[in-house]
Amino acid sequence: MPGEIVTVDIFDLLNKKHREARDAIANRWNDRNEIQLTNSEWFILDLINYGKELIADVGKNGKFTRQGTHKLIRKLEKRGLVKTEPTEHNKRSKYVQLTPLGIICYEENKELKTVLEERIRHTLGDEKYEDLVTILSMDWEL
C-alpha cells in the first residue's frame, strides 16, 4: 500500500543481490549463445566443473532432489554439455562430467562472471569490494 513502510532484512537483501547477479550472467549468456541455459543448469555445470562427479553427490551439493538432479542432467546431456557413465561397482550409480562442448561453455561463462565481478569491484571500490569478500568468506556461525 502507498506510504506503507516495508522492512527488508539482510536475508532478503542477500537473496535479491544473488538473484540479480545470477540473472545478469544467465541473460548475458543467453543473449550471445544458441544454447539457452537456466540458473539451475548453470549451477549443475558449476558443481561438475572439470571433474568427474557422482550424480548423487551433485544433487546433494546442489541441494536438488534426486529426481530434479537427474532431470537437469538429462537435459544437459541432450544438449551435448555433459556425459554420464556407470560406475564400475554399482550399475545404478553414475558419474557425470563435462563434454568438450560443456567445457567451452563453462569457460565462457566463467569469463562472463569475471567481467561482472570486475564491474561490481568498480562500482563498490576496491576497499569495499575486499571487505565484502572477507565478510562473505567468514564463518557466520549459523
Side-chain angles (χ1 to χ4, degrees):
M1 291 196 174
E4 185 177 329
I5 297 174
V6 177
T7 304
V8 179
D9 60 32
I10 191 170
F11 305 107
D12 294 334
L13 292 171
L14 287 169
N15 186 42
K16 180 180 180 220
K17 289 300 179 191
H18 178 257
R19 248 184 302 114
E20 286 174 358
R22 283 278 174 199
D23 288 346
I25 294 163
N27 290 339
R28 282 175 177 79
W29 170 269
N30 289 334
D31 289 345
R32 299 175 185 177
N33 295 280
E34 287 182 27
I35 300 172
Q36 304 288 290
L37 296 168
T38 65
N39 285 333
S40 295
E41 290 166 331
W42 278 119
F43 195 69
I44 292 284
L45 294 176
D46 284 337
L47 290 170
I48 298 168
N49 62 61
Y50 297 106
K52 183 177 185 179
E53 303 292 329
L54 286 170
I55 292 176
D57 291 342
V58 171
K60 286 178 198 167
N61 293 335
K63 304 222 189 288
F64 292 107
T65 64
R66 183 181 174 283
Q67 182 180 7
T69 303
H70 283 273
K71 182 179 177 182
L72 287 166
I73 288 174
R74 275 194 308 274
K75 286 173 67 176
L76 292 168
E77 196 168 24
K78 284 181 184 176
R79 293 185 185 133
L81 300 175
V82 301
K83 65 180 179 178
T84 60
E85 62 183 64
T87 60
E88 287 182 32
H89 305 295
N90 181 349
K91 297 300 178 201
R92 288 180 42 151
S93 186
K94 288 185 176 183
Y95 287 111
V96 62
Q97 67 185 79
L98 299 180
T99 62
L101 176 61
I103 291 170
I104 290 168
C105 293
Y106 177 75
E107 288 175 350
E108 286 181 24
N109 194 52
K110 276 177 51 174
E111 288 178 31
L112 289 173
K113 287 180 180 181
T114 300
V115 169
L116 184 59
E117 187 173 347
E118 286 304 313
R119 284 183 60 198
I120 293 168
R121 179 188 285 271
H122 178 76
T123 300
L124 296 178
D126 287 337
E127 187 176 334
K128 286 182 181 177
Y129 175 83
E130 293 301 330
D131 288 346
L132 178 62
V133 170
T134 299
I135 290 166
L136 292 174
S137 300
M138 291 172 63
D139 180 1
W140 293 359
E141 299 181 19
L142 305 175

